[in-house]
Amino acid sequence: MPIYAVTGASGQLGRLAVLELLSRGVPGSDVVAVVRTPGKAADLAGRGVQVREADYSRPSSLVVALADVDRLLLVSSSEPDRRVIHHTNVIEGARSTGTSRIVYTSMLNADATTNPLAEEHQDTERALRGAGIPFTLLRNGWYTENYTGQLDEYLRRGEILGAAGSGRISAATRRDYARAAVTALLQDEPGNRSYELGGPAFDLSELARVISEVTSTAVVYRDLSVGEYKSSLRQAGLDQGSAEFVAALDVSIAHGDLATDSQDLARLLGRPATPLAEVVRTATQRTTIH
Ligand SMILES: NC(=O)c1ccc[n+]([C@@H]2O[C@H](COP(=O)([O-])OP(=O)(O)OC[C@H]3O[C@@H](n4cnc5c(N)ncnc54)[C@H](OP(=O)(O)O)[C@@H]3O)[C@@H](O)[C@H]2O)c1
């Protein structure tokens, strides 16, 4: 049986991928959870998963953690501006230990996007092409939770603020991306593969409409100019750099960078992505406002 490893396994997506591997019948002893802080993965160890400590910034720790690993799910690092070196360290570690496939969580439409987060994913894809290890690119769209995580705020204000215009967003839940990632990890693929992954597209007006319907609370989308949106983010407490970054993400959405017609996600899931109304309904169970 191959040994499967998942990096970022103490994080939200990585943890879901480890649990998905177990639920597909892979024995815990064949699953390696690569984590920076083993204490955060004690529950996974309790389920028989091999928890190994490694830091993306410490190449020697990666070489030890990836020993005997056949297939690796490289969950992209959460440290902006450090991602390329982090990912390159993991790829080098995998090469030195003879890993046979790397499955990497990249960004939707990475070939042609204005998204400010894209460059680090493009550089990582380049590093994978140069490494000579067969790879699978999971070009993930936005997490729906990027929005439903703000549900309390939307309901309190009665509005969603943004500068995304009618830009469409093919978002999906972390759970769906994790399930798709595990399918890609488990299946035997010849050569390299690339998947464009996203759920059914919505724009922020549709998101507001679905939230209104599900919660019976009126929420509208207020589309602002980029300048107005930056000011509102500053008033909400963001520093100038963060406000510019968040506004740039909406500009990218307005360009259509986070939309896709690809059915790759549904194919990997073996079913349609979780509908937006269902994701919102689940999120309402965690909100403090009803
Ligand atoms: N598609 C989207 O909408 C979207 C949104 C946000 C992020 N992302 C990307 O998707 C990735 C996974 O998302 P997520 O929600 O699971 O993020 P997350 O919950 O923040 O998890 C990030 C994981 O990366 C680990 N990590 C960070 N720096 C590390 C280092 N130097 N060495 C080893 N591990 C390190 C963290 O370990 P610790 O637990 O020790 O901190 C954590 O396990 C993110 O890292 C980011 O690249 C995508």
Side-chain angles (χ1 to χ4, degrees), residues 28-67:
S29 54
D30 292 346
V31 179
V32 174
V34 181
V35 297
R36 176 164 54 174
T37 319
K40 288 189 183 174
D43 59 318
L44 299 178
R47 297 188 61 173
V49 170
Q50 298 188 52
V51 175
R52 297 185 189 167
E53 188 198 336
D55 191 310
Y56 290 147
S57 59
R58 283 193 294 118
S60 58
S61 68
L62 291 160
V63 171
V64 174
L66 297 178

Side-chain angles (χ1 to χ4, degrees), residues 8-14 36-37 40 54-57 75-79 83 86 140-143 146 174:
S10 57
Q12 298 165 89
L13 184 72
R36 176 164 54 174
T37 319
K40 288 189 183 174
D55 191 310
Y56 290 147
S57 59
V75 172
S76 53
S77 167
S78 51
E79 291 182 37
R83 289 193 176 101
H86 282 177
N140 288 349
W142 246 203
Y143 298 149
N146 295 348
R174 285 187 182 88

Side-chain angles (χ1 to χ4, degrees), residues 54-176:
D55 191 310
Y56 290 147
S57 59
R58 283 193 294 118
S60 58
S61 68
L62 291 160
V63 171
V64 174
L66 297 178
D68 75 12
V69 167
D70 298 298
R71 297 185 190 179
L72 170 65
L73 174 59
L74 167 51
V75 172
S76 53
S77 167
S78 51
E79 291 182 37
D81 301 329
R82 299 277 302 151
R83 289 193 176 101
V84 180
I85 183 68
H86 282 177
H87 300 161
T88 306
N89 288 341
V90 177
I91 294 165
E92 279 308 310
R95 183 158 65 172
S96 72
T97 57
T99 299
S100 63
R101 175 168 295 275
I102 299 178
V103 177
Y104 170 65
T105 61
S106 183
M107 162 169 277
L108 185 63
N109 299 320
D111 284 332
T113 178
T114 61
N115 193 291
L117 289 164
E119 194 176 343
E120 290 180 291
H121 291 292
Q122 291 162 345
D123 288 346
T124 303
E125 291 193 3
R126 216 168 285 120
L128 281 167
R129 285 193 187 88
I133 307 171
F135 62 83
T136 303
L137 302 177
L138 301 173
R139 290 179 168 169
N140 288 349
W142 246 203
Y143 298 149
T144 316
E145 292 92 336
N146 295 348
Y147 298 107
T148 54
Q150 302 178 66
L151 192 57
D152 269 353
E153 178 69 10
Y154 299 157
L155 294 174
R156 191 177 298 118
R157 294 183 64 104
E159 60 183 7
I160 299 170
L161 299 182
S166 54
R168 298 181 71 71
I169 306 156
S170 300
T173 61
R174 285 187 182 88
R175 191 173 294 278
D176 281 353

